[in-house]
Amino acid sequence: MSRGLPLLHRRRILVSGAIGGITCAAVVVGAAMAGQDDGSGDANASTKAAQTISCPAVAGSLPEIPAEARAEVDRNLALLDTQIAEADKRLGTSQGEGGPNFVQNAILGPLADKRKSTLDRIAISIGRRAEKPTGLDALAECTLSGGEAGAGTGAGGEADSGATPTAAASEPADGGAEQGSGAEQGGGADAGSGTDEGSAQTISCPDVASKISGVPAEARAEVDRNLALLDTQIAEADKRLGTSQGEGGPNFVQNAILGPLKDKRASTIDRIELSFSRQGSTAPSGLDALAGCSLTSG
């Protein structure tokens, strides 16, 4: 008995020690795995946060700005920053939306259009008092930088900064392909199909040509080109509507099609008004209210 008790006691100690060692090892392994998971999540978040939209700086490419044009030029330089900040915000809140071309179609493309319009305003402002700068359109295109393509936040690339709503955007690079009779009503040449109800949906925009009268002879050609461009923009948006079935979230059509279309139309209408003012005439009032479009079924 005196010999058995110590031996049994020793066995109990050994078993208890083994169980305790296994428990500690499990705790250590679990902690290590948790640490790896947390680190991976942090790394992914860091990667996403590093992605930004980068645009060419504009201010350094401008010639000497006349004093009379300084305020207007500064407003448009600030607007360029605002546009980047808004596009960056959209980039950060659209993770997982759309197809492989979503970022280009819904963010970078519309941003380029808006920048083209703003750059055009800068050139016109300077050109009213001095030699109009050329080549600014080359600064309109932006790209993604840092992290993985297609996501990210932050305001990058522009020389100035800002954070207010956007202004109108200009026309796409391919210009007007239809004859400008102002026949925007109902959607241009390529009637597209809808997103939810099939081919019955098209894009409908207010008629602009019928609201324009008294066009100076010297401005007629430019006005006609821009009226044709309005038709082209609707046709392109209708085509996009028909080829984007199933893309994006609930706001996809507004964010990727109707919103950019409104920006382009507002810019084109602005050019029509400028055509009048260059000839010392006053453009018809209320044209800006014709920029917005909507979906119709029929």
Side-chain angles (χ1 to χ4, degrees):
M1 293 291 293
S2 60
R3 294 179 180 178
L5 288 174
L7 179 59
L8 179 60
H9 183 63
R10 286 196 298 271
R11 287 174 179 172
R12 288 174 178 170
I13 293 174
L14 289 174
V15 170
S16 300
I19 294 173
I22 293 171
T23 303
C24 292
V27 171
V28 171
V29 171
M33 292 178 66
Q36 288 178 350
D37 290 342
D38 291 344
S40 175
D42 292 343
N44 290 338
S46 176
T47 299
K48 290 180 180 179
Q51 295 151 0
T52 61
I53 292 175
S54 179
C55 303
V58 173
S61 300
L62 298 178
E64 183 176 353
I65 301 172
E68 301 86 347
R70 168 59 65 181
E72 187 174 0
V73 169
D74 285 345
R75 281 195 302 271
N76 283 292
L77 288 174
L79 182 58
L80 290 171
D81 285 321
T82 298
Q83 292 162 354
I84 297 173
E86 290 179 337
D88 256 328
K89 182 178 179 180
R90 173 77 178 120
L91 187 65
T93 58
S94 62
Q95 298 286 338
E97 287 190 24
N101 297 320
F102 176 80
V103 171
Q104 179 60 45
N105 292 332
I107 300 175
L108 293 182
L111 175 59
D113 288 333
K114 293 175 182 179
R115 284 174 60 84
K116 286 176 185 176
S117 175
T118 306
L119 291 167
D120 188 51
R121 288 189 179 94
I122 290 174
I124 290 172
S125 298
I126 296 173
R128 290 193 186 107
R129 283 95 180 179
E131 183 178 354
K132 181 179 178 180
T134 59
L136 294 184
D137 283 351
L139 307 177
E141 300 291 336
C142 302
T143 59
L144 291 183
S145 64
E148 300 173 354
T153 57
E158 187 53 61
D160 313 285
S161 63
T164 54
T166 62
S170 70
E171 72 276 359
D174 54 4
E178 298 178 7
Q179 293 193 353
S181 62
E184 303 95 330
Q185 192 71 35
D190 296 322
S193 58
T195 55
D196 297 323
E197 301 297 332
S199 60
Q201 286 189 319
T202 60
I203 293 175
S204 178
C205 303
D207 181 29
V208 175
S210 64
K211 302 296 190 293
I212 295 176
S213 60
V215 181
E218 298 84 353
R220 171 56 65 184
E222 186 174 1
V223 169
D224 285 346
R225 280 196 302 271
N226 283 294
L227 288 173
L229 184 56
L230 290 171
D231 286 327
T232 300
Q233 291 163 353
I234 296 173
E236 291 174 341
D238 253 331
K239 183 177 180 180
R240 174 76 176 124
L241 184 66
T243 57
S244 61
Q245 299 282 343
E247 289 190 24
N251 298 319
F252 175 81
V253 172
Q254 179 59 44
N255 292 333
I257 301 177
L258 292 181
L261 175 60
K262 180 179 179 181
D263 289 334
K264 292 175 182 179
R265 282 174 58 84
S267 175
T268 306
I269 290 171
D270 186 48
R271 286 190 171 88
I272 291 174
E273 294 173 336
L274 287 172
S275 300
F276 278 79
S277 63
R278 288 192 190 102
Q279 307 304 325
S281 300
T282 302
S285 60
L287 295 182
D288 289 344
L290 307 177
C293 302
S294 60
L295 291 182
T296 59
S297 298

